[in-house]
Amino acid sequence: MLSFWEKNSFLNYDVIIIGSGILGLSVASELSEKFPEKNILILEKGILPTGASTKNAGFACFGSLTEILADFKNKGEDETLKLVYDRLAGIEILRKRLTDEKTGYENNGGYELITEKDLSKLEEINEVNDKLKSLIGNNVFEISNEKIPEFGFDAGKVKALVYSKYESQVDTGELMKNYIKYVNERGVTILTGCEVKEVQIKNSKPEVVVSHNVFHEEIKFSCEKVLVCANAYTTKIFPEIKVNPGRGQVLVTKPIDGLRLKGVFHYDEGFYYFRNYKDRIIFGGGRNLDFENEESFQFRYNFKIIDDLENKLVNMILPAEEFEVDMIWTGIMGFTENKLPLIKDIDSKIISAISCNGMGVALSGYLAKKVIKKYF
Ligand SMILES: Cc1cc2nc3c(=O)[nH]c(=O)nc-3n(C[C@H](O)[C@H](O)[C@H](O)COP(=O)(O)OP(=O)(O)OC[C@H]3O[C@@H](n4cnc5c(N)ncnc54)[C@H](O)[C@@H]3O)c2cc1C
């Protein structure tokens, strides 16, 4: 049971944010920067953030050529260009807020590997560049086939390479550690091991219910506004919010002597992605091999996908190098039906902001800005 002191000092806030992923931390930062007097609490169910933000591959990217072309078809050109704009703006917010040193931000460029089936898409490169020019001012994508032998890819499989100098990489671990530190320094309280079970409105104020992991009794936190940043898990608290989990499998190699790859690399509309981390390769993706099983909240390995990633490393990406896989892990993303981020009032005092999809490193900063501008 709680003491008088705990009830007096720990349970009342101006704003409670559910989830300490990159979006929850961005929302807390934006709010505390604009309203330093506000008393803000983040409730996190894991000991560490436990969704996508500490599990991702650390691409600071806004969409590869084939991904943007696919988005033009599925989301329409206007929505796609808006998203690209928001991602670019988000990266700049993150860099300014945390500094490149604290995020491990490095601009080594990005490359898309084009295999036989996507070769015809290269015909659209000029058109895409023209459309992106209004946002970036220069050509974004250029063909860079001379790099295929330089990086050591199997030229029988990688038919072309599309380069973008605007893509960068971060150190996901350092970024998240320093983001937590940043919000702490701004006076935001983070309580971990606090899984929110429900949010009720009591006497016209939101009451956020958490089960105490020692006393096994309900703790009720009270506030003026709740911001729900629980991504895929939002649907477990608010079933009316339709968001599907999408698991991602990732592997990292042991250090590779003389590794030639540097930068971020994608192929197949962004479904596969790899990068160097110092002299290792981090490689993830392949959800499209098994969408059904990867629509899951369970942090489980899918060896159909992991085997495919390893095969692609051996046969296409590092055909001439000896390497060993050091470890594998999984993370859970959240996807809305239309694959767009969703900001929605569940109640006038409960707002959800979710679904950065596969690009939350870039998108979260600007999405958070929009949320705070609209509701505060
Ligand atoms: C394998 C993988 C690779 C990726 N690679 C990249 C990449 O290279 N670049 C990129 O931009 N994006 C990438 N992404 C996507 C990116 O990680 C996400 O878009 C982003 O992290 C989403 O952030 P979020 O804060 O919305 O969600 P999350 O990080 O999922 O945060 C939600 C938080 O809410 C907490 N929570 C859930 N339910 C509750 C509850 N009931 N009570 C309290 N807390 C709760 C969770 O524990 C979690 O910490 C990748 C994702 C994965 C899985």
Side-chain angles (χ1 to χ4, degrees):
M1 77 198 47
L2 294 187
S3 69
F4 165 76
W5 307 114
E6 287 163 336
K7 285 187 178 171
N8 211 30
S9 298
F10 284 85
L11 300 187
N12 296 301
Y13 297 85
D14 294 317
V15 181
I16 294 180
I17 297 165
I18 304 176
S20 72
I22 194 164
L23 188 55
L25 297 172
S26 301
V27 163
S29 302
E30 192 69 32
L31 195 58
S32 68
E33 285 160 5
K34 266 194 151 170
F35 305 100
E37 73 289 353
K38 281 204 191 299
N39 195 6
I40 304 165
L41 170 69
I42 303 181
L43 292 169
E44 167 53 51
K45 74 171 175 179
I47 291 172
L48 300 174
T50 309
S53 301
T54 49
K55 313 288 189 184
N56 65 46
F59 284 42
C61 60
F62 51 84
S64 65
L65 176 69
T66 65
E67 193 170 8
I68 288 177
L69 283 169
D71 280 355
F72 280 165
K73 274 208 192 107
N74 305 329
K75 302 185 174 93
E77 279 185 24
D78 286 352
E79 280 301 341
T80 305
L81 292 176
K82 250 194 262 167
L83 261 184
V84 171
Y85 174 87
D86 289 3
R87 289 168 184 154
L88 288 165
I91 293 170
E92 289 315 307
I93 290 171
L94 194 63
R95 293 183 66 195
K96 199 163 164 220
R97 181 173 283 145
L98 292 184
T99 75
D100 291 351
E101 195 197 336
K102 291 192 172 145
T103 57
Y105 178 94
E106 279 180 30
N107 176 243
N108 296 320
Y111 300 83
E112 177 161 24
L113 284 67
I114 304 290
T115 52
E116 187 76 44
K117 80 176 177 58
D118 281 335
L119 264 179
S120 63
K121 295 183 180 159
L122 293 178
E123 289 160 23
E124 296 174 76
I125 196 167
N126 291 337
E127 205 182 317
V128 175
N129 273 337
D130 286 344
K131 287 179 179 145
L132 292 177
K133 240 180 212 157
S134 61
L135 307 178
I136 296 176
N138 288 309
N139 279 341
V140 173
F141 299 117
E142 59 187 89
I143 294 173
S144 179
N145 293 347
E146 71 286 355
K147 291 268 187 186
I148 296 173
E150 206 174 296
F151 287 141
F153 298 141
D154 178 343
K157 296 194 175 69
V158 182
K159 302 286 183 190
L161 211 53
V162 176
Y163 171 61
S164 169
K165 66 178 168 195
Y166 297 99
E167 289 200 316
S168 304
Q169 57 203 85
V170 294
D171 179 325
T172 295
E174 288 302 302
L175 184 159
M176 286 298 289
K177 190 180 76 184
N178 285 311
Y179 222 161
I180 290 170
K181 215 167 156 195
Y182 179 83
V183 298
N184 282 153
E185 280 164 6
R186 302 197 65 79
V188 174
T189 303
I190 304 180
L191 298 180
T192 59
C194 288
E195 180 169 1
V196 172
K197 299 291 181 194
E198 62 178 314
V199 183
Q200 309 159 342
I201 300 287
K202 275 275 167 70
N203 303 323
S204 71
K205 282 177 89 168
E207 214 172 58
V208 182
V209 183
V210 172
S211 172
H212 195 295
N213 61 354
V214 177
F215 300 132
H216 304 295
E217 64 183 37
E218 283 186 346
I219 308 291
K220 292 177 179 164
F221 295 89
S222 157
C223 63
E224 301 299 327
K225 250 188 194 134
V226 177
L227 297 171
V228 188
C229 300
N231 206 15
Y233 297 88
T234 302
T235 193
K236 294 200 173 210
I237 319 171
F238 301 100
E240 67 271 36
I241 300 290
K242 302 293 174 213
V243 52
N244 291 321
R247 187 167 57 199
Q249 311 277 330
V250 191
L251 61 80
V252 61
T253 67
K254 289 188 175 164
I256 299 170
D257 272 348
L259 181 69
R260 286 179 279 173
L261 300 181
K262 200 168 191 189
V264 296
F265 298 80
H266 334 234
Y267 74 103
D268 206 359
E269 296 176 7
F271 278 115
Y272 292 87
Y273 41 87
F274 58 95
R275 60 169 283 188
N276 75 298
Y277 174 74
K278 300 178 181 161
D279 51 358
R280 297 167 184 259
I281 295 282
I282 294 173
F283 188 19
R287 254 180 350 106
N288 51 341
L289 267 190
D290 195 358
F291 274 128
E292 203 179 316
N293 282 311
E294 291 305 276
E295 194 177 304
S296 171
F297 285 105
Q298 310 299 320
F299 288 85
R300 292 215 182 106
Y301 302 130
N302 180 330
F303 285 100
K304 182 178 173 187
I305 294 177
I306 290 165
D307 289 349
D308 177 59
L309 296 178
E310 284 195 46
N311 276 331
K312 286 196 162 63
L313 274 183
V314 172
N315 294 314
M316 183 167 96
I317 298 167
L318 299 172
E321 326 245 19
E322 291 288 320
F323 72 89
E324 264 183 85
V325 173
D326 194 4
M327 62 174 285
I328 53 180
W329 71 89
T330 65
I332 313 289
M333 289 167 272
F335 292 97
T336 47
E337 191 76 32
N338 59 9
K339 306 279 188 311
L340 289 170
L342 178 72
I343 301 175
K344 192 172 161 56
D345 319 16
I346 296 170
D347 173 275
S348 63
K349 294 180 175 171
I350 309 173
I351 293 108
S352 73
I354 55 165
S355 188
C356 290
N357 296 321
M359 286 190 217
V361 172
L363 195 54
S364 51
Y366 197 65
L367 195 61
K369 203 175 192 59
K370 282 190 185 170
V371 173
I372 301 309
K373 192 167 177 213
K374 184 163 177 201
Y375 294 100
F376 289 87

